[in-house]
Amino acid sequence: MSLIFDKSVENRKNIIFPKCDVEINLPDSPKRVKAAKLPEVSEIDISRHYTYLSKRVHGVNSGFYPLGSCTMKYNPKISEQLASLEGFTKIHPLQPKETTIGCEEVIERLKNYLCKITGMDEMSLQPAAGAHGELTGMLLIKAYHMHRGDDNRKEIIVPDSAHGTNPASAVMAGFDIINIKSNENGMIDIDDLKENIGEKTAGLMLTNPNTLGIFDTNILEITNLVHEAGGLCYYDGANLNAIMGRARPGDMGFDVTHLNLHKTFSTPHGGGGPGSGPCGCKTFLKDYLPDTSNEKSIGRVIGYYGNFLVIVKALTYIITIGTEGIKNASENAVLNANYMKAKLDNILPTAYKGMCMHEFVVSLEKLKNNTGVTALDFSKALLDYNIHPPTMYFPMTVHEALMIEPTETESKETLDEAIDIIKEIYNTALDDSDAIKNSPISTPVGRLDEVYAARKAVLRHEFEA
Ligand SMILES: *Cc1c(COP(=O)(O)O)cnc(C)c1O
């Protein structure tokens, strides 16, 4: 398809701006030398261009989207409606406080609910994403040890089944990573943990349920061991829809946690976002939080109040579904995942047996050995059936992995349809593996050279000289 720049026709306009009613006195230095090369198109051209583009992509509103660990669930329209009220959209962070009391109440109420849901005592809504919340939490742990003069604690223990951002955030905060193994049940190997814990341990960073969708039942013993060694415990709560309303990180012995509002609390991801990754902690750490004026504070991690409209949407979600709804959401997330897992078990077995939480990881290793069809091929074939592929090749501990997370918002009918499609692709792989290897055939583009695209990314339009 052609780019918006290709559709440009000189002097074609779409909006007539009103005359500027303030006097502008700028020095020359920040002024443009040449006019910006913006596409010159009419309003209908631009509307059609982007509507067409939007139809070429797959979103939560176009079909099933079981992208493991990403929690691609439905974002209710009522949240969008409330977040677009003028009282929320037309405020300025520097306007007098007495004019923004309602907005402050939104912030305080959400903090309160999130503390109740996680079992934490304080919460900062500043972090703008999950990984940003992790970094904030890691900085709290670092500040805590530093202020006690315990500055030898440089190590963060991270299990091999953690989300990839966990070790990355700990390294960004200046820690060294100590990796520990999973046992045959996909949980932390306690002996390996004991061997690696000690005077240098600053803390443990745990995703529970982990990326295999497995809840570590030894959690109390684990957090106890870390505390006895003088370390703190960090809980990655991005996927709290596995346990919310049922269990709380604060009760499992965790001192710090982050949440992903753009997963668990049903606010949009990425382009529809922006995100929000609140960071909560127990009382003894509250002076280190980014939004206190305390001298121990790690300092702000974002300008002003964080992504405020996301906060409005998350609060709307919580109030709309209420206490029972919070419990039901996590129950349905776990039920849906286990339903799919059980129905697929005879063709796509999971690496670890037993119940899963909100997601499960299947291995296509056997299928690959028999037919040559890989997890990547299988994922591409799903696109021809209007299903977004699951997360692939993660966690690395499972070969030919597909991580499936149906989420709580899908109906049994949608799950049954997806199960039938997966079975059909599986059978086709056995009969005619080339058909799968050549998919997708119905999408705007087929197989792309992903390595080339990543290495030679073209991210801006080059105008002809
Ligand atoms: C998504 C996710 C993150 C990171 O969240 P971002 O908003 O993408 O930075 C961290 N941990 C887990 C378990 C996640 O699923």
Side-chain angles (χ1 to χ4, degrees), residues 447-463:
R447 298 255 182 147
L448 298 168
D449 184 339
E450 287 162 16
V451 175
Y452 185 82
R455 297 244 163 99
K456 297 251 179 224
V458 180
L459 300 174
R460 63 178 201 149
H461 183 65
E462 293 287 346
F463 292 98

Side-chain angles (χ1 to χ4, degrees), residues 68-71 128-134 162-166 169 206-211 236-239 258-263 269 275-277 358-359 403 405:
S69 189
C70 294
T71 313
H132 199 194
E134 291 172 24
H163 193 267
T165 49
N166 291 182
S169 303
L206 199 71
T207 311
N208 192 29
N210 61 25
T211 54
D236 177 337
N239 306 129
H258 88 270
L259 303 165
N260 276 35
L261 300 187
H262 51 288
K263 286 179 183 168
H269 292 240
S276 179
H358 62 303
E359 65 190 8
M403 183 197 279
E405 180 184 5

Side-chain angles (χ1 to χ4, degrees), residues 113-124:
Y113 286 138
L114 296 182
C115 282
K116 281 206 179 110
I117 290 170
T118 55
M120 293 290 147
D121 301 316
E122 275 298 332
M123 189 74 55
S124 167

